[in-house]
Amino acid sequence: MSALTPPPDGDVNRGPTLIAIFWTEIGISIIFVLLRFYTRLRMGRLGADDWTILITMVLNIVTLSLCTVLVHYGLGRHMYYIPVEHKSEIVRWNWIVQPLGILTLPIGKISVVLLLERIMGQTTTWRRWFLWVNMALFTASMIVSSILSFAQCNPPRALWSQVRGAVCLEPSIQANFATFTCAYSSFLDFVLALIPITFVRKLRMSIQTKIGLCVLLGMGVLSGICAVIKTVQSNELSIREDVSWALFPLYAWSSSEIFLNIVCACIPTLKPLYDYVIQSKPLQRSEGSGQAGSNGSQSRNFNLVRIHKALNGNAYTDKSVTRTVSSAQTNLSRRRSDGQDANSITYQEPFSEEEESRVRLALVYKGHFLDC
């Protein structure tokens, strides 16, 4: 540290900017997650995607709270101007914060995958395999990155203090692996945002409805853009000199990526609330749900009576959906005449993959999500 020279721009402090970014993002993400839970509870029961996004938000709050401590010690200032007693603390807290932030990312992406699975159901096997295999690989790479943060030095405390006889890897090794994980994260953000297009574009729907669905489900592109910028900044991890100044953009873009991941994952679930506020449509409890067939397998045997209630009979004009729901109504009338319970009636004729996708997307467009 003694070899540092005075920076030409003087004692500039960008710490308050980071604090403003961190806590503005925390406040907005809390609002979105609370609105998501309120809407879901009004529309029906919560799902695994809701709980994982809540976990992501909580971990992000903990991470940014620790980042606030880091700013207190001098993050955002040049190392030259930071008091001697704070210099080792900055480096130490930097390595403490990184693993927690690293592990927050895959949980947020898992929430998005779970949401897409509720939308796609059993209709798109290759998409489900593609998403889950990549999520497993990404999560494994992030765990390795988290371990590498500390394992690059033996003993680990040599990362922030002078330890005689310590052995450390070249800083570029950890920085290069971080660049790889950032690039992978960016790739997955774009995949999660664009994969709905692969099944929406093939359906016989109006262009307006297709565009609406693609925008609703593709907001994660914003998170992907942040991830791209963060990937460019990740080479700063190899810096060991003016680290408190060099890491400013990396922390800013990392927090923004997770923030946008949370917000963009909540937006599709808030459409019923938007319709309620803007168009005064009531927040009705969703009665559409998946149901196993008589052979015990999760086939395309939906309870179309409940789906029809969720669609309110005339909320969607696609002919395939109308025909399918009309068949259910006919089936319902016949079963009622036989004295059977209407809510237990399931239309047993299997849908085609396209028909099921239309029904699911019709429900999504109204804010209803099937659970199989």
Side-chain angles (χ1 to χ4, degrees):
M1 302 297 179
S2 59
L4 291 173
T5 57
D9 53 350
D11 188 11
V12 179
N13 186 2
R14 298 187 290 182
T17 303
L18 278 178
I19 295 295
I21 293 172
F22 293 160
W23 290 98
T24 299
E25 290 173 348
I26 286 175
I28 295 174
S29 63
I30 288 174
I31 291 172
F32 270 84
V33 172
L34 287 177
L35 289 175
R36 173 179 182 149
F37 269 69
Y38 171 77
T39 305
R40 281 292 177 86
L41 288 171
R42 287 290 303 270
M43 299 293 292
R45 66 187 181 87
L46 299 171
D49 54 320
D50 302 307
W51 294 113
T52 46
I53 205 67
L54 178 63
I55 293 171
T56 302
M57 185 192 72
V58 171
L59 287 175
N60 192 43
I61 291 173
V62 173
T63 301
L64 295 185
S65 297
L66 295 178
C67 289
T68 302
V69 175
L70 196 53
V71 172
H72 166 73
Y73 284 116
L75 180 65
R77 294 177 64 194
H78 288 290
M79 203 66 130
Y80 181 85
Y81 297 103
I82 295 173
V84 175
E85 63 272 15
H86 284 181
K87 289 181 178 179
S88 63
E89 290 299 309
I90 277 187
V91 181
R92 183 168 73 94
W93 279 97
N94 172 53
W95 293 113
I96 290 173
V97 166
Q98 281 190 33
L100 190 57
I102 288 169
L103 294 176
T104 303
L105 268 176
I107 299 175
K109 290 179 177 24
I110 287 171
S111 176
V112 177
V113 173
L114 290 169
L115 176 63
L116 289 175
E117 194 169 53
R118 290 181 75 173
I119 295 169
M120 295 186 299
Q122 306 297 315
T123 66
T124 52
T125 302
W126 74 266
R127 293 183 182 90
R128 296 174 66 239
W129 273 101
F130 176 79
L131 290 176
W132 283 115
V133 167
N134 274 280
M135 277 312 307
L137 293 173
F138 177 67
T139 302
S141 68
M142 297 303 276
I143 292 173
V144 170
S145 181
S146 180
I147 294 172
L148 186 60
S149 296
F150 286 103
Q152 63 182 304
C153 278
N154 184 24
R157 69 177 184 275
L159 286 166
W160 59 81
S161 61
Q162 296 292 331
V163 179
R164 182 175 298 179
V167 178
C168 294
L169 298 174
E170 284 292 325
S172 60
I173 295 177
Q174 194 262 346
N176 290 339
F177 192 79
T179 300
F180 161 73
T181 57
C182 289
Y184 200 176
S185 177
S186 175
F187 165 74
L188 284 179
D189 281 331
F190 284 111
V191 165
L192 293 174
L194 299 177
I195 202 167
I197 296 176
T198 65
F199 61 91
V200 170
R201 67 183 180 84
K202 295 181 180 179
L203 303 180
R204 292 192 297 273
M205 295 176 166
S206 68
I207 296 297
Q208 181 180 359
T209 302
K210 285 184 178 181
I211 293 174
L213 284 166
C214 289
V215 171
L216 196 64
L217 300 173
M219 299 295 291
V221 167
L222 300 176
S223 179
I225 293 172
C226 275
V228 170
I229 299 173
K230 188 183 75 171
T231 302
V232 175
Q233 299 292 333
S234 61
N235 63 344
E236 303 293 341
L237 289 170
S238 63
I239 293 177
R240 295 292 188 268
E241 296 297 327
D242 198 6
V243 63
S244 58
W245 179 265
L247 291 179
F248 169 86
L250 185 61
Y251 273 92
W253 287 109
S254 295
S255 67
S256 296
E257 181 190 6
I258 298 174
F259 161 70
L260 287 172
N261 193 180
I262 294 171
V263 170
C264 294
C266 290
I267 287 175
T269 68
L270 299 182
K271 189 174 186 301
L273 188 62
Y274 172 84
D275 291 339
Y276 171 72
V277 173
I278 303 300
Q279 303 178 22
S280 300
K281 293 183 179 179
L283 281 172
Q284 295 180 336
R285 188 174 184 86
S286 174
E287 299 191 58
S289 60
Q291 183 170 318
S294 57
N295 59 359
S297 63
Q298 283 193 325
S299 61
R300 301 185 188 96
N301 295 329
F302 298 138
N303 189 316
L304 293 181
V305 176
R306 295 186 178 183
I307 289 178
H308 184 251
K309 290 179 181 178
L311 288 170
N312 293 329
N314 56 4
Y316 193 72
T317 58
D318 185 275
K319 293 181 179 180
S320 176
V321 176
T322 304
R323 184 178 66 251
T324 307
V325 173
S326 296
S327 298
Q329 287 181 302
T330 302
N331 198 18
L332 171 62
S333 300
R334 180 174 58 80
R335 298 288 185 89
R336 274 179 175 164
S337 64
D338 295 336
Q340 295 187 32
D341 179 10
N343 286 327
S344 67
I345 300 170
T346 301
Y347 181 58
Q348 294 294 333
E349 182 181 340
F351 290 175
S352 68
E353 179 175 323
E354 181 172 332
E355 286 175 329
E356 180 181 344
S357 296
R358 288 178 188 173
V359 173
R360 285 183 176 277
L361 290 169
L363 290 169
V364 168
Y365 206 59
K366 290 206 64 189
H368 301 273
F369 296 84
L370 300 174
D371 292 325
C372 77

